[in-house]
Amino acid sequence: DDGCNDPSWPTCTCYAGNGTYCGAGVASYGYQNHCQVPTLTGHASDILSCQNGTWTVQTQCAQGCQVMPNGTPDVCSSPGDYHLPWPSGATYTVTQGNNGDICGGGTGDHTGVQAYAFDFGLPRSTEVHASRAGTVTVAAHRVSPGDACYDGCTQPFGTSAFNQCCSACLNQSNWVNVDHGDGTVATYWHLDSLAVSVGQQVQAGAVLGHSGTSGCSSGPHLHFQVMGGCPQSYCQSVPISFAEAGTPGCGAQVTSQN
């Protein structure tokens, strides 16, 4: 947020050396280190250049920018790139991959409509970020703290009590859809809270809400899948890969650059 660009602070150095920097990363560094970059205002989604302590705007990014690992120049996001849907630099575990790939053997529920879904083991209240830019077409806040289904289904997994809970809570998750404008829609499920509304334009990396365990869920995680042709609903998933992680399987620990 370039609102943290306090003009009373000294100018930031080229903290990773001469090169290009995503404005969002510069804003975060400046806030943490009490320094500022005058050219950052209005350019938190663009690429800045720093040469020997002098900052300029190098590229205005239509789809926002990506903070890359140390030693790699930051870049504008490509409209077609999918990124892991949580804050850059954080590492979480895939708890279920595509085609029923569940840790420990057996077959999970990522089959059929959900064949190309991913479950990520995000702790509760983790920021959930837009994987790609687009338009919010669903912002379903179904349950709040204290409501049935807000804390998911706490019965032992696979028992009749758990299955009954899941049947009752299946459509009582908090979830968000983002239409990418090319026939694909990303859906984000089991949220604790939402930070967007229908019709809102979001860039890759925008905060959509916070992770939780609402609905038919056995514990805190994020269910994420990309679908074809259903901006207001839930339909057949399609295969994707993430720019920073490819197509990770169950048990993989993956680090976001989003």
Side-chain angles (χ1 to χ4, degrees):
D1 182 349
D2 59 13
C4 297
N5 197 26
D6 188 329
S8 69
W9 291 344
T11 299
C12 299
T13 63
C14 303
Y15 52 89
N18 290 342
T20 57
Y21 294 76
C22 175
V26 175
S28 176
Y29 178 87
Y31 181 74
Q32 293 174 15
N33 293 275
H34 292 172
C35 62
Q36 57 94 24
V37 172
T39 53
L40 177 62
T41 302
H43 294 286
S45 296
D46 297 330
I47 293 294
L48 308 183
S49 172
C50 188
Q51 299 292 326
N52 301 318
T54 299
W55 293 86
T56 57
V57 178
Q58 176 170 296
T59 308
Q60 295 190 13
C61 302
Q63 304 292 331
C65 55
Q66 297 295 323
V67 178
M68 303 301 286
N70 288 340
T72 303
D74 294 348
V75 295
C76 290
S77 299
S78 168
D81 283 349
Y82 290 96
H83 289 273
L84 294 167
W86 59 81
S88 180
T91 301
Y92 295 110
T93 302
V94 179
T95 55
Q96 187 175 175
N98 295 170
N99 296 304
D101 173 26
I102 193 164
C103 303
T107 300
D109 61 0
H110 289 178
T111 58
V113 167
Q114 301 186 144
Y116 298 106
F118 297 90
D119 285 345
F120 297 108
L122 272 60
R124 271 190 121 147
S125 300
T126 303
E127 286 186 355
V128 173
H129 287 192
S131 180
R132 274 183 63 190
T135 304
V136 177
T137 51
V138 171
H141 187 116
R142 298 283 173 79
V143 288
S144 298
D147 293 342
C149 305
Y150 180 75
D151 292 316
C153 295
T154 58
Q155 302 85 352
F157 181 79
T159 63
S160 59
F162 177 86
N163 293 337
Q164 288 174 6
C165 175
C166 262
S167 179
C169 293
L170 185 62
N171 294 313
Q172 296 302 309
S173 176
N174 298 325
W175 56 290
V176 170
N177 277 9
V178 176
D179 186 344
H180 305 130
D182 61 358
T184 63
V185 180
T187 192
Y188 307 76
W189 280 68
H190 308 303
L191 305 179
D192 265 355
S193 61
L194 276 57
V196 291
S197 55
V198 171
Q200 185 173 336
Q201 303 289 317
V202 295
Q203 298 296 324
V207 178
L208 303 178
H210 292 82
S211 61
T213 187
S214 60
C216 173
S217 171
S218 60
H221 73 286
L222 174 69
H223 176 94
F224 173 85
Q225 68 186 51
V226 176
M227 311 173 294
C230 55
Q232 275 98 28
S233 60
Y234 189 83
C235 66
Q236 180 62 51
S237 56
V238 297
I240 66 159
S241 64
F242 295 100
E244 62 271 72
T247 305
C250 192
Q253 294 195 336
V254 286
T255 302
S256 174
Q257 295 172 9
N258 196 12

